[in-house]
Amino acid sequence: MAVVSEHSLERIPSRQGRAIRLEAQSVIEVVNTFGSQVLDTWAFAVADPTEHMSMEHTRSVNSRWRVGQGTVFVSNRRRPMLSLVEDTSAGVHDVLLPACSPEIYRELGCTGWHASCEENLHAALAEVGLAVPFMPGPLNLFMNVPLLASGALDRQPPKSRPGDRVALRAEMALWLVFSACPQDMTPINGVLRTPTDAHYRLV
Amino acid sequence: MAVVSEHSLERIPSRQGRAIRLEAQSVIEVVNTFGSQVLDTWAFAVADPTEHMSMEHTRSVNSRWRVGQGTVFVSNRRRPMLSLVEDTSAGVHDVLLPACSPEIYRELGCTGWHASCEENLHAALAEVGLAVPFMPGPLNLFMNVPLLASGALDRQPPKSRPGDRVALRAEMALWLVFSACPQDMTPINGVLRTPTDAHYRLV
């Protein structure tokens, strides 16, 4: 692994999305700089963006409902796309809930426009000239959604700490998209309900 | 509720899919005639088939990872689409795994063509003049996928019995699609690994 200085860190601005092109076998490290920022994450094959990272297929191929270090995320065609190769956090990530969207902010009582991970995904793809007519379920890095025995699920602040890192290896040439979740009406991005920047670097 | 004779039962042929148009507030009863047939189930809004039943959004709106009698399944726009209003079975249904697809049968060692729920969905929609450029995660009625504390998931034969019924109420005008799952290489459709017909009727 190359020695990389702090200066090579790139910013994922608070409440925004970023599309990043990764070649096969390259590794990207994503840093939860302030410790409690959820990052909705998607991947699309460069060769054909209708091939996308799929949480359903990932559960099927791995025979696991929980993901963590070592999980290989696969596409809707069951091909490896992204491996979670290192994780310094508590290892709590969500793969069950959708991206936040304009509709959920209206449900929560927001009357004007509110940034959302759904809009961030489409905007980030548009910046690199891509559009997809669907919305895959995301890998919600650092998002803490405990499943209760009753069948209910809870939404808790992240268990990650400032500087926690997750390293992801691309298993094919892909567009990776991160959205620094703009949710500020629930504690999903921490008890302060204050979305923050996050950072990444290629390693 | 109208008195409906046995003769009004319609067939979902073994290994095949059917698209059924439902008006808002109509109820359809689906019968697991032989007791251990999984039915992959999708819904699409008549007004705009890009609005589809979504398991991620259903988990979010209901704050539950497990579904059952009383669950209101919502669309990717968080609007009610389908309610599970009655269930005579053990109530075990899956909302985590994808439809079976050509790729999984190749993984399992199948060398020729094998029917799949993914192909069945697209074929059933094509029969009514529809096409969608995506593949929503299905509601897998009667599919028994226990979640283990270890983070693993298992695949077991259905807990339903011959004649068990699930009643679903349409909450908007929609196209409902059932696929009688053709999986015959694992025990997901019962220990005999023999996909069967199922039936439905409008009530």
Side-chain angles (χ1 to χ4, degrees):
Chain A
M1 195 180 293
V3 176
V4 178
S5 80
E6 275 287 303
H7 300 98
S8 64
L9 278 173
E10 301 284 336
R11 184 167 161 246
I12 308 167
S14 162
R15 303 171 192 267
Q16 294 184 35
R18 284 292 179 268
I20 302 152
R21 165 111 183 216
L22 296 179
E23 298 310 315
Q25 300 308 310
S26 62
V27 175
I28 187 169
E29 207 172 60
V30 54
V31 185
N32 203 331
T33 316
F34 298 98
S36 58
Q37 180 59 48
V38 167
L39 292 162
D40 285 38
T41 306
W42 299 267
F44 301 86
V46 167
D48 174 2
T50 69
E51 183 167 10
H52 61 83
M53 185 165 70
S54 164
M55 297 306 115
E56 299 96 279
H57 294 83
T58 295
R59 283 188 283 270
S60 176
V61 166
N62 291 274
S63 292
R64 289 184 66 80
W65 56 271
R66 195 158 59 207
V67 301
Q69 193 168 312
T71 297
V72 178
F73 292 86
V74 303
S75 74
N76 52 323
R77 297 176 201 162
R78 305 180 73 87
R79 300 200 302 159
M81 287 197 91
L82 200 65
S83 296
L84 203 166
V85 290
E86 198 189 347
D87 187 353
T88 73
S89 79
V92 175
H93 309 289
D94 170 66
V95 292
L96 292 183
L97 292 185
C100 63
S101 58
E103 293 85 358
I104 198 172
Y105 292 105
R106 282 200 290 275
E107 270 173 36
L108 290 168
C110 193
T111 52
W113 176 82
H114 193 292
S116 67
C117 288
E118 186 168 309
E119 291 188 357
N120 284 350
L121 168 66
H122 293 301
L125 288 176
E127 276 190 17
V128 297
L130 291 175
V132 294
F134 50 81
M135 185 68 208
L139 160 59
N140 294 310
L141 287 172
F142 308 112
M143 186 157 148
N144 182 5
V145 178
L147 307 194
L148 310 181
S150 64
L153 57 81
D154 202 2
R155 294 169 179 85
Q156 293 284 337
K159 294 203 170 193
S160 41
R161 296 150 305 180
D164 269 341
R165 293 171 284 108
V166 166
L168 302 165
R169 185 176 64 225
E171 303 298 351
M172 62 171 73
L174 53 81
W175 288 102
L176 191 67
V177 181
F178 290 123
S179 169
C181 178
Q183 177 58 271
D184 53 9
M185 303 176 77
T186 77
I188 205 76
N189 288 308
V191 291
L192 298 179
R193 304 183 189 215
T194 305
T196 64
D197 292 354
H199 293 83
Y200 68 89
R201 58 181 157 197
L202 300 177
V203 295
Chain B
M1 195 182 289
V3 177
V4 177
S5 79
E6 273 288 305
H7 299 99
S8 65
L9 278 172
E10 300 285 335
R11 182 167 163 247
I12 307 167
S14 163
R15 303 171 194 266
Q16 294 184 35
R18 284 293 179 267
I20 302 153
R21 166 118 182 211
L22 296 179
E23 298 310 316
Q25 300 307 311
S26 61
V27 175
I28 188 169
E29 205 171 62
V30 55
V31 185
N32 204 332
T33 316
F34 297 99
S36 59
Q37 179 60 47
V38 167
L39 292 162
D40 284 37
T41 306
W42 299 266
F44 302 86
V46 168
D48 175 2
T50 69
E51 182 166 11
H52 61 82
M53 185 165 68
S54 163
M55 296 306 115
E56 299 96 279
H57 294 82
T58 296
R59 284 188 283 270
S60 177
V61 166
N62 292 274
S63 291
R64 289 184 66 82
W65 56 270
R66 194 157 61 207
V67 301
Q69 193 169 312
T71 297
V72 178
F73 293 86
V74 302
S75 75
N76 52 324
R77 296 176 202 160
R78 304 179 73 87
R79 299 200 303 158
M81 288 197 91
L82 199 66
S83 296
L84 204 167
V85 291
E86 199 189 347
D87 187 353
T88 73
S89 79
V92 175
H93 309 289
D94 170 67
V95 292
L96 292 182
L97 292 185
C100 63
S101 58
E103 293 85 358
I104 199 173
Y105 291 104
R106 284 201 288 274
E107 270 174 37
L108 290 168
C110 193
T111 52
W113 177 81
H114 193 293
S116 67
C117 288
E118 185 168 310
E119 291 189 356
N120 284 349
L121 169 66
H122 293 301
L125 287 177
E127 277 190 16
V128 296
L130 291 175
V132 294
F134 50 80
M135 185 69 207
L139 161 58
N140 295 310
L141 287 172
F142 308 112
M143 186 158 149
N144 183 5
V145 178
L147 307 194
L148 310 182
S150 65
L153 57 80
D154 201 2
R155 294 168 178 86
Q156 293 284 337
K159 294 203 169 194
S160 41
R161 296 148 306 180
D164 269 341
R165 293 171 283 110
V166 166
L168 302 164
R169 184 177 64 226
E171 303 297 352
M172 62 171 71
L174 53 79
W175 287 102
L176 191 67
V177 181
F178 291 123
S179 169
C181 178
Q183 177 57 273
D184 53 9
M185 303 176 78
T186 76
I188 205 77
N189 288 308
V191 292
L192 298 178
R193 304 184 188 214
T194 305
T196 63
D197 292 354
H199 293 83
Y200 68 90
R201 58 181 157 197
L202 300 177
V203 296

